[in-house]
Amino acid sequence: RPAQDRGSGRDRGDMEERIRLQMQRVMAARLQLSEEESRRLTEVVRGFEENRRELRRSELAARRRVEALLLEGGTDDEEADALLARIVELRRTEAELFAEEQEALLEVLPAAKVLRLQMFREEMGRRIRALRRGGEHDRLPPGAPPGVGLPGNAEWLLGVDDV
């Protein structure tokens, strides 16, 4: 690979790490976490990251296969049945992973803070999806501040303006 590609991958990794750290700071501030709670929360979340990534990869593979089957005419009932079973299995795994994570979070945080954490995650997901759609104002979540529709507005994405 050319040197510029290797550098850009390293830059992306650095950027992702900076974003991750900023999100941890914002989350700790929003949830009013002590340093110990913040440290333990980070450990729990990181402990579930690989399982979440693997689940996302499996879901993407299943979605791609469904799309391919439909493009091929979608008449192979045997494969369609297997794909439906796989999707049900993935949803079950997703629910189990969520439940396991909630149990682990409750060992670190009181229930009210776990609920606030879930709301924070949902808010961040909506913001990220809005930015991925090109940041058009009519697609942003209600209450989004003016001017946030520009891609790369990391301050809004991370909620820095609220802290």
Side-chain angles (χ1 to χ4, degrees):
R1 286 182 356 175
Q4 64 192 39
D5 287 350
R6 285 191 300 270
S8 65
R10 190 173 30 247
D11 291 344
R12 180 181 174 95
D14 291 346
M15 180 185 69
E16 287 174 356
E17 183 60 23
R18 284 192 310 270
I19 290 172
R20 183 178 293 115
L21 290 172
Q22 181 63 30
M23 287 187 75
Q24 287 173 358
R25 285 191 292 272
V26 170
M27 190 172 8
R30 287 226 183 137
L31 299 178
Q32 300 174 340
L33 302 179
S34 68
E35 282 188 37
E36 177 64 12
E37 285 175 323
S38 183
R39 184 189 63 73
R40 292 181 64 206
L41 173 61
T42 298
E43 289 174 5
V44 169
V45 169
R46 285 197 174 162
F48 283 88
E49 278 179 358
E50 183 55 38
N51 290 339
R52 225 181 266 109
R53 266 193 298 275
E54 181 58 35
L55 183 60
R56 272 187 250 123
R57 283 191 291 267
S58 296
E59 288 174 340
L60 180 60
R63 190 175 317 123
R64 285 183 175 154
R65 189 56 212 139
V66 166
E67 290 170 358
L69 178 66
L70 295 176
L71 284 173
E72 295 165 0
T75 58
D76 185 343
D77 279 341
E78 189 175 316
E79 185 174 6
D81 189 50
L83 281 168
L84 286 171
R86 178 68 176 144
I87 291 168
V88 168
E89 175 189 342
L90 289 169
R91 293 293 176 254
R92 189 172 290 124
T93 300
E94 181 179 32
E96 290 168 1
L97 183 60
F98 180 80
E100 289 172 21
E101 185 180 35
Q102 299 321 294
E103 289 176 25
L105 289 170
L106 287 169
E107 293 176 14
V108 174
L109 300 173
K113 286 186 178 182
V114 172
L115 285 175
R116 289 192 355 233
L117 171 64
Q118 294 311 325
M119 294 302 295
F120 176 79
R121 285 177 163 178
E122 288 177 23
E123 177 187 342
M124 289 297 101
R126 282 191 302 272
R127 289 179 178 192
I128 290 167
R129 285 188 300 277
L131 288 173
R132 284 183 179 156
R133 287 190 297 255
E136 296 174 23
H137 292 290
D138 61 337
R139 294 184 182 175
L140 293 174
V148 298
L150 302 173
N153 189 334
E155 292 79 15
W156 180 70
L157 167 68
L158 298 172
V160 174
D161 55 345
D162 295 345
V163 178

